[in-house]
Amino acid sequence: MSTTMPANPEAIFTYGAPQLKFGPGASDEIGFDLSQYGVRRALVVTDPGVAATGIPERVAGQMAQFGIEAHVFSGVHVEPTDESMAAAIAYARDSGPWDAFVAVGGGSSIDTAKAINLLLTNPGELMDYVNVPVGKGTAPVNPLRPLIAVPTTTGTGAESTTICVLDVLSLHVKTGISHARLRPTLAVVDPLLTLTQPAGVTASAGMDILCHALESYTARWYTSNERKRPEQRVPYCGSNPISDMWSEKAMRLLATSFRTAVRHGDDAQARADMAIAATFAGMGFGNAGVHIPHANAYPIAGRVRDFHPKDYPAQEPMVPHGMSVALTAPEAFRFTFEASPQRHIQAAQMLAPGVDQPADAAEFLPSVLIDLMKDIEIPNGVAAVGFTASDIPSLVEGTMKQQRLLATSPKAVTEDDAAGIFARSMELW
């Protein structure tokens, strides 16, 4: 990669992942899994939509045979906010104590469970732990309790990562908390739980998998960072040999399963491939990091006005996370191409095997992404979800607050650069 090497380059990368249990029926064994940690009282965390399927109650119900008292909290907000997380934390605190937590749902449920676990084991308030400059970026001082993550959507990879994402309502920005202690103890990935995921959710969540893999694969190489002291090391250390392995595997799985999973939701093999791709991509980006598309996604989601996506709950306006990431991805990868041309070309080849590279190699990956977005009915750019050119300054302001993410970009990003990416992303085709 073309990133300028620092005077004292990093020579160490880190890697972490939860224990993993994968396969049809894996969610039926959670009571046994919790019993191995000596758990006697567990809180199951989910959202109303997932609760309506009966899955969380089924997961909770099979814990009794192992002497575990389980309760279900179904108040998770889809696309969590600081207010919804604070309410969930208050509920858990008032109804506790809890020996462990089980998150059943998409990234919203898993991230809310991470926040509950953090604040019930450590002092302070939510904003103390939110990344700077939005929050104080305080590191937890105490260990967390066991957290089992059970994804019912194929996208966020939250079951693998150290990240907790939320909207800060007063600032109209999406941000997060990042620390190694937030990583779930065990990821239970049961593809059978994803069979009812609607096409629109599958498309949006799948774009999140795809961008996780692409952004971690094109992130700045770990040795291009300045050497850190042990206490300075963070989960996002840049692309490295191990994260590359997971990202590449995720992209190859997506190439054969993504369109099928959207069009034929009852295809068990496609669903299984998407489920494991989400976990693999999480194991990649949860260590290497993500960059520009995710940094742009946070203000897009945080400043939404009146967009209601297909197949999501008919509640307040929202741009789903995976969709918001996808909307500027083609332009972001045009921008980063010169930093690592071969990586971008290889990614396009993995996602679209057999497709000829265009004369302008910089167009290869963006064109592959746009063709996919058309096929699975992702909106045609930022304007399609309600933004105009007059919104670009506020969107750029939100992006530039995501310095934890932008630091992972293979190419430095200025305000003008971000504005250009947003302007060219108003309409993608």
Side-chain angles (χ1 to χ4, degrees):
M1 295 190 180
S2 64
T3 306
T4 302
M5 294 297 291
N8 182 25
E10 183 59 86
I12 295 170
F13 70 87
T14 57
Y15 179 76
Q19 295 182 58
L20 172 65
K21 178 175 284 192
F22 177 89
S27 60
D28 296 333
E29 300 182 1
I30 291 173
F32 170 81
D33 296 326
L34 284 171
S35 71
Q36 302 306 292
Y37 301 108
V39 172
R40 289 290 173 263
R41 202 161 186 268
L43 180 65
V44 177
V45 179
T46 191
D47 68 63
V50 176
T53 69
I55 294 170
E57 284 291 349
R58 177 169 62 78
V59 168
Q62 45 98 16
M63 296 181 196
Q65 61 185 300
F66 296 95
I68 299 170
E69 178 187 348
H71 295 259
V72 176
F73 168 72
S74 60
V76 168
H77 191 283
V78 177
E79 303 295 334
T81 68
D82 53 339
E83 291 183 2
S84 75
M85 283 189 170
I89 292 163
Y91 172 89
R93 185 174 284 128
D94 292 344
S95 57
W98 306 103
D99 301 321
F101 304 96
V102 180
V104 181
S108 298
S109 295
I110 297 171
D111 286 356
T112 299
K114 290 176 182 177
I116 291 171
N117 199 2
L118 173 65
L119 269 298
L120 263 64
T121 53
N122 282 271
E125 300 178 349
L126 192 64
M127 291 302 292
D128 292 333
Y129 298 95
V130 168
N131 298 318
V132 294
V134 180
K136 296 180 181 178
T138 303
V141 294
N142 299 322
L144 277 63
R145 295 180 187 130
L147 167 60
I148 295 182
V150 190
T152 60
T153 60
T154 48
T156 67
E159 69 276 6
S160 302
T161 72
T162 62
I163 315 301
C164 164
V165 177
L166 67 153
D167 286 306
V168 178
L169 294 177
S170 62
L171 301 177
H172 302 286
V173 69
K174 189 180 288 284
T175 182
I177 302 170
S178 175
H179 192 275
R181 289 185 179 176
L182 268 65
R183 194 188 309 276
T185 311
L186 171 65
V188 176
V189 182
D190 185 341
L192 296 179
L193 303 186
T194 71
L195 289 174
T196 59
Q197 184 175 269
V201 178
T202 302
S204 176
M207 289 305 299
D208 200 21
I209 305 173
L210 178 52
C211 288
H212 286 157
L214 277 174
E215 290 172 61
S216 59
Y217 192 64
T218 58
R220 63 185 300 164
W221 191 249
Y222 74 99
T223 59
S224 69
N225 290 306
E226 194 73 37
R227 180 100 184 199
K228 293 181 173 64
R229 299 190 303 273
E231 70 275 12
Q232 294 176 314
R233 299 198 185 282
V234 295
Y236 281 10
C237 63
S239 58
N240 59 76
I242 296 181
S243 66
D244 280 358
M245 175 181 68
W246 296 121
S247 298
E248 289 171 4
K249 183 62 176 176
M251 285 189 274
R252 290 192 171 100
L253 285 166
L254 290 167
T256 58
S257 63
F258 194 174
R259 286 174 171 87
T260 302
V262 174
R263 295 169 181 165
H264 306 287
D266 59 349
D267 189 308
Q269 187 59 56
R271 289 294 197 184
D273 287 350
M274 291 291 285
I276 199 68
T279 299
F280 286 169
M283 290 176 175
F285 95 87
N287 294 275
V290 289
H291 53 86
I292 300 172
H294 269 75
N296 289 343
Y298 288 174
I300 290 172
R303 288 166 165 76
V304 62
R305 296 192 189 91
D306 192 29
F307 181 73
H308 296 269
K310 172 187 172 185
D311 291 336
Y312 280 81
Q315 49 182 24
E316 63 267 27
M318 64 178 289
V319 182
H321 176 64
M323 183 184 293
S324 64
V325 171
L327 294 175
T328 64
E331 283 300 329
F333 291 116
R334 280 194 181 98
F335 173 77
T336 57
F337 177 81
E338 66 180 8
S340 53
Q342 195 56 37
R343 287 248 162 174
H344 289 66
I345 293 168
Q346 288 170 340
Q349 290 170 336
M350 283 184 277
L351 290 169
V355 174
D356 291 335
Q357 178 180 320
D360 183 356
E363 290 300 309
F364 195 7
L365 183 54
S367 67
V368 166
L369 291 175
I370 288 172
D371 286 347
L372 174 62
M373 292 166 68
K374 289 178 180 178
D375 285 351
I376 61 174
E377 300 184 7
I378 295 293
N380 178 15
V382 178
V385 298
F387 294 97
T388 68
S390 64
D391 295 309
I392 291 176
S394 67
L395 292 171
V396 169
E397 179 188 16
T399 292
M400 300 310 292
K401 289 179 179 178
Q402 312 305 323
Q403 290 301 313
R404 177 180 63 88
L405 308 185
L406 295 178
T408 314
S409 172
K411 183 178 175 183
V413 183
T414 67
E415 290 187 9
D416 287 344
D417 293 330
I421 292 170
F422 276 116
R424 294 187 297 273
S425 297
M426 284 290 160
E427 290 188 7
L428 293 172
W429 60 83

